[in-house]
Amino acid sequence: MPKSYSIVGMEHQKANEFVMGLTAGVSATLVREPNNPFDPCAVAVWIEGRKVGFIPKKQNVVLAQFIDQNGGNDCIDGEMALDKAISAAGPDIKAVAARFIRSPNSGYPMVEV
């Protein structure tokens, strides 16, 4: 059964307008950032080659473990590879495919794995 996660930090990525224009079902990539200085369980959300935000700390621990155990780097594209957090992790970077959705209750941006 798919699990859904909120996307936060869009304002820090200057991605609010971009995300608001997305339609449900768009492919997303969830990328682990184990070297993130603010959260060692950080999971970044990438859509169309752009980092749009993160999974909230309250939700990311189990997801980070899942990505660490099951993820790969085959869904990392060239634009994503230029990101400092991804390049710092090198070839050991882990990611999983997801899809963009909106909360059925509020329309808030989310991803589903």
Side-chain angles (χ1 to χ4, degrees), residues 29-32 44 46 66-68 70-76 80 86 92-97:
T29 304
L30 305 182
V31 180
R32 279 283 286 120
W46 286 78
F66 173 80
I67 295 171
D68 288 345
N70 301 291
N73 59 11
D74 55 332
C75 52
I76 304 291
M80 294 167 66
I86 292 175
D92 296 330
I93 194 71
K94 301 279 184 153
V96 295

Side-chain angles (χ1 to χ4, degrees), residues 9-19 50-53:
M10 293 176 290
E11 65 280 355
H12 298 295
Q13 302 300 321
K14 297 180 174 55
N16 281 331
E17 285 185 44
F18 173 76
V19 171
R50 181 175 178 175
K51 187 190 292 186
V52 298

Side-chain angles (χ1 to χ4, degrees), residues 1-5 28 30 97-101 110-113:
M1 174 151 205
K3 175 104 171 109
S4 57
Y5 300 91
L30 305 182
R99 71 182 188 101
F100 177 77
I101 62 171
M110 301 178 85
V111 289
E112 185 176 74
V113 181

Side-chain angles (χ1 to χ4, degrees), residues 27-88:
S27 295
T29 304
L30 305 182
V31 180
R32 279 283 286 120
E33 290 191 3
N35 299 323
N36 185 299
F38 303 104
D39 182 4
C41 293
V43 176
V45 178
W46 286 78
I47 300 174
E48 296 181 359
R50 181 175 178 175
K51 187 190 292 186
V52 298
F54 290 86
I55 302 300
K57 283 184 180 185
K58 291 180 180 179
Q59 296 181 318
N60 72 6
V61 174
V62 172
L63 179 59
Q65 291 171 349
F66 173 80
I67 295 171
D68 288 345
Q69 293 171 2
N70 301 291
N73 59 11
D74 55 332
C75 52
I76 304 291
D77 68 27
E79 290 180 52
M80 294 167 66
L82 299 175
D83 184 75
K84 287 187 258 180
I86 292 175
S87 60

